[in-house]
Amino acid sequence: MAEVCRVRSSGTMIVLTLVVAVLSVAGCNGAKQPHIVFIVADDLGWNDVGWHNPAMITPTLNRMASEGVILNSSYVQYLCSPSRTSFMTGYFPYRTGLQHEVIAAGQPRYLPAHFTTLPEMLGKQGYRTHIVGKWHLGMCNWKYTPTERGFESFFGYYSGMEFYYNHTRLDGYDFRANKSVALDPTRTYADYLFVDHALDIIEKHNPEEPLFLYLPFHLVHVPHEVPARFENMYSSIQDDYRRIYCGMVSMLDEAVKNVTDALEKAGLTDNMFLIFTTDNGGPTFNGANNLPLRGAKATYWEGGTRGAGFVHSKNLLQKTGYTNNGMMHAADWFPTLLHLAGSKPDSDIDGVNQWDMLSTGVDSPRTTFVYNIDNITRAAAIRHGDYKLMVGSPGGWNGWYPLPKLHAQLKEQLAHDAEDVDQQWKPQLYNIKEDPEERHDLSSQMPEMMKFLQGELEKYRQKEVPPQNAPYDPAGDPTHFGGVWTPGWC
Ligand SMILES: *[C@@H]1O[C@H](CO)[C@@H](O)[C@H](O)[C@H]1NC(C)=O
Ligand SMILES: *[C@@H]1O[C@H](CO)[C@@H](O)[C@H](O)[C@H]1NC(C)=O
Ligand SMILES: *[C@@H]1O[C@H](CO)[C@@H](O)[C@H](O)[C@H]1NC(C)=O
Ligand SMILES: *[C@@H]1O[C@H](CO)[C@@H](O)[C@H](O)[C@H]1NC(C)=O
Ligand SMILES: *[C@@H]1O[C@H](CO)[C@@H](O)[C@H](O)[C@H]1NC(C)=O
């Protein structure tokens, strides 16, 4: 049966469609669900991958992207926790309460427990479910932590970032294996540990069981730390931030190489679907770059929300080696992966199943999505067809930040732009297809389109839940827990 999927002739595709329809199970061959590997890079900019910027040294990612399908219109959220919310639940974050900023260390905020997660659903379909890396969807109570949200194992950290070698965030230690504190007397760079652990999972995995491996790396988020051999690959870059950042990107590339080599060796790649995506656009203020797109991480501009990424599979994609321009959103992975597992979401989620688009290149079923609705900043943005409406402040960092980039020279502009957030922005309208760089505001030229999109936005707003807005709670301070960030204070 597995052979059916490998054949790409159109005659066989009809048979395949029938087989899938009759059995109404996905996984292509209807007999055996594919292994799923979901890799999330943290803070990777649009212009920080080799297929957009040849100066980046990312040979593994380049090869996989060119063998797979490059995603050219794959949207993520403007920030980390909101994007991870969509990955894990299929909802836009304005419906879960996680639409406003990220969960900061010590804030009693979380993905509410009544949301069903992707690993829960995949677990029900017989998947073995593992997360290695960053969680960032809440930790003030055990019930919000990964092993109580559907993952059978967790190896990583709960918060949004930490030092790579000593695994601390605001002087609290944050590194766990399942629920136990994972001590690291060797002070090894976090992503080396993640790769080793992922290899361990892969080697021990029984190939007869479907594997879901969620790999949200710490790379390439700040702090600016990377082993010297990666930084040295960019010795010609003078700016410290950019040089170290680029080194981190190349380390990420090697991490993906080691993991995919292990998957290959374990025989898992013959029936496997792999996603590579960033969680948000690049922080230009930390050395990332999003050119030619406008803006940065933390903004609703394309540079903050249009994610670099690709999908790869040896057996499941009928059309490969091209760039797919179909519109998709981070929330779409949830129903798409459930489809591969032979299941469906059981609630009214925002994600739509993109399997047909990804596997055959047909048009995207998605024509609209919400960049965000944030009732605290009063800002929102929506896309419908080619048009994008933004109301309120897009977030600061509203410019185009050039390369080669000397951070020192940009400091003034960046400091100025960071303050832009408080400006009274009037609503703006862009045609993203014709003007992906968002240079021509059409709001005064197209009043009808403005009215239409404002009406659409109001429809979505009906489903908004209040943003969780919790200040730092001293009860969670690591000093109460022997210096370790520990659940149990909300
Ligand atoms: C990717 O999208 C950009 C901006 O919309 C577009 O200019 C470019 O042609 C697309 N690339 C490919 C290969 O389709
Ligand atoms: C984590 O839990 C999984 C599943 O119960 C188990 O196989 C694994 O050994 C645990 N890891 C650690 C480090 O305790
Ligand atoms: C962790 O490492 C960073 C960077 O070297 C350092 O600034 C910080 O003080 C260290 N934290 C602890 C608790 O050792
Ligand atoms: C990848 O594997 C090689 C060979 O074991 C090792 O030397 C290297 O440090 C690994 N790199 C990463 C990022 O894990
Ligand atoms: C949004 O904010 C307004 C004004 O503060 C308030 O009246 C409304 O209830 C809020 N809506 C949500 C869903 O939080």
Side-chain angles (χ1 to χ4, degrees):
M1 286 281 277
E3 293 308 312
V4 174
C5 293
R6 290 205 187 93
V7 183
R8 289 185 189 172
S9 80
S10 53
T12 323
M13 269 175 62
I14 295 163
V15 176
L16 170 64
T17 312
L18 288 175
V19 169
V20 173
V22 169
L23 296 178
S24 92
V25 213
C28 194
N29 56 33
K32 203 173 156 197
Q33 300 143 309
H35 307 296
I36 297 170
V37 178
F38 191 160
I39 301 179
V40 179
D42 201 339
D43 282 6
L44 184 64
W46 182 258
N47 201 29
D48 298 327
V49 291
W51 60 96
H52 291 157
N53 175 1
M56 300 307 299
I57 305 168
T58 54
T60 298
L61 295 172
N62 292 1
R63 178 184 54 75
M64 293 183 77
S66 68
E67 288 171 0
V69 177
I70 294 176
L71 306 175
N72 202 26
S73 197
S74 167
Y75 285 86
V76 284
Q77 289 286 310
Y78 71 123
L79 281 172
C80 168
S81 299
S83 279
R84 287 159 211 260
T85 300
S86 292
F87 293 151
M88 288 294 113
T89 66
Y91 282 90
F92 295 145
Y94 77 90
R95 295 183 64 194
T96 69
L98 288 176
Q99 65 271 53
H100 179 69
E101 299 184 342
V102 300
I103 302 175
Q107 280 183 345
R109 297 181 57 194
Y110 43 80
L111 175 66
H114 64 273
F115 287 100
T116 305
T117 66
L118 180 60
E120 269 166 4
M121 294 295 283
L122 292 176
K124 278 191 203 155
Q125 295 304 111
Y127 275 76
R128 307 300 302 267
T129 57
H130 304 277
I131 164 173
V132 182
K134 162 167 159 177
W135 175 237
H136 212 190
L137 286 175
M139 55 75 64
C140 56
N141 188 298
W142 288 110
K143 68 183 175 190
Y144 304 126
T145 62
T147 47
E148 299 212 8
R149 297 315 300 264
F151 285 105
E152 66 179 80
S153 84
F154 170 60
F155 183 78
Y157 57 111
Y158 291 143
S159 65
M161 59 173 273
E162 57 186 11
F163 287 106
Y164 281 89
Y165 292 97
N166 62 29
H167 319 302
T168 63
R169 171 85 183 126
L170 302 178
D171 284 341
Y173 190 76
D174 183 7
F175 212 90
R176 293 200 181 241
N178 299 335
K179 290 182 170 176
S180 311
V181 180
L183 294 175
D184 172 28
T186 61
R187 295 195 164 212
T188 300
Y189 194 92
D191 294 66
Y192 276 139
L193 298 175
F194 297 151
V195 170
D196 283 352
H197 191 77
L199 264 48
D200 196 46
I201 289 171
I202 291 163
E203 279 156 19
K204 290 187 180 140
H205 181 74
N206 170 6
E208 295 308 311
E209 293 176 296
L211 169 70
F212 175 53
L213 179 58
Y214 177 51
L215 270 180
F217 282 109
H218 192 317
L219 288 163
V220 294
H221 200 291
V222 287
H224 291 102
E225 295 179 317
V226 77
R229 70 185 170 96
F230 297 104
E231 184 177 346
N232 293 343
M233 294 163 89
Y234 298 90
S235 53
S236 62
I237 299 179
Q238 287 169 18
D239 179 67
D240 292 343
Y241 277 13
R242 182 68 186 163
R243 187 178 60 254
I244 297 171
Y245 179 90
C246 289
M248 293 167 89
V249 174
S250 290
M251 179 168 184
L252 174 67
D253 187 80
E254 189 179 285
V256 172
K257 176 182 194 300
N258 287 6
V259 169
T260 48
D261 283 353
L263 289 162
E264 182 81 40
K265 199 170 148 209
L268 302 179
T269 50
D270 290 339
N271 184 26
M272 186 180 99
F273 182 64
L274 181 142
I275 300 165
F276 177 87
T277 178
T278 186
D279 63 339
N280 46 245
T284 43
F285 36 91
N286 284 329
N289 195 267
N290 301 308
L291 282 182
L293 303 179
R294 183 172 185 179
K297 170 186 180 177
T299 76
Y300 300 163
W301 298 108
E302 296 297 286
T305 54
R306 190 164 171 169
F310 63 82
V311 294
H312 186 276
S313 176
K314 282 194 193 175
N315 64 322
L316 299 167
L317 302 171
Q318 281 143 43
K319 187 178 167 197
T320 55
Y322 74 107
T323 297
N324 187 315
N325 285 299
M327 184 196 292
M328 65 173 294
H329 182 272
D332 296 346
W333 296 118
F334 185 90
T336 304
L337 295 180
L338 290 192
H339 170 79
L340 281 180
S343 163
K344 277 197 169 93
D346 53 13
S347 55
D348 154 41
I349 59 164
D350 299 301
V352 298
N353 177 1
Q354 294 283 8
W355 184 248
D356 288 346
M357 178 186 90
L358 294 170
S359 60
T360 69
V362 297
D363 287 349
S364 170
R366 179 178 280 293
T367 52
T368 187
F369 69 90
V370 173
Y371 289 81
N372 203 19
I373 295 174
D374 184 335
N375 208 24
I376 294 177
T377 60
R378 312 298 295 169
I382 187 173
R383 171 86 175 266
H384 189 95
D386 297 340
Y387 289 92
K388 171 180 182 178
L389 169 75
M390 285 197 281
V391 300
S393 166
W397 298 293
N398 302 304
W400 298 263
Y401 302 100
L403 269 179
K405 185 172 148 318
L406 284 177
H407 187 262
Q409 289 169 2
L410 277 178
K411 250 186 195 151
E412 236 169 70
Q413 188 189 350
L414 286 166
H416 165 269
D417 286 4
E419 299 304 319
D420 243 8
V421 66
D422 296 327
Q423 280 186 15
Q424 292 299 310
W425 285 79
K426 71 175 184 65
Q428 298 168 77
L429 179 71
Y430 294 94
N431 180 330
I432 298 300
K433 191 172 177 204
E434 284 172 11
D435 178 25
E437 300 176 21
E438 297 171 286
R439 291 181 185 270
H440 310 288
D441 177 10
L442 302 170
S443 55
S444 48
Q445 279 155 262
M446 301 186 74
E448 289 301 313
M449 182 58 75
M450 286 295 284
K451 221 170 126 190
F452 170 73
L453 285 176
Q454 274 159 340
E456 289 298 296
L457 187 57
E458 286 319 305
K459 279 191 220 159
Y460 284 95
R461 217 188 270 283
Q462 301 308 310
K463 290 185 175 173
E464 182 187 9
V465 305
Q468 284 178 12
N469 181 21
Y472 181 85
D473 183 349
D477 198 285
T479 50
H480 303 307
F481 302 95
V484 180
W485 286 104
T486 302
W489 43 279
C490 74

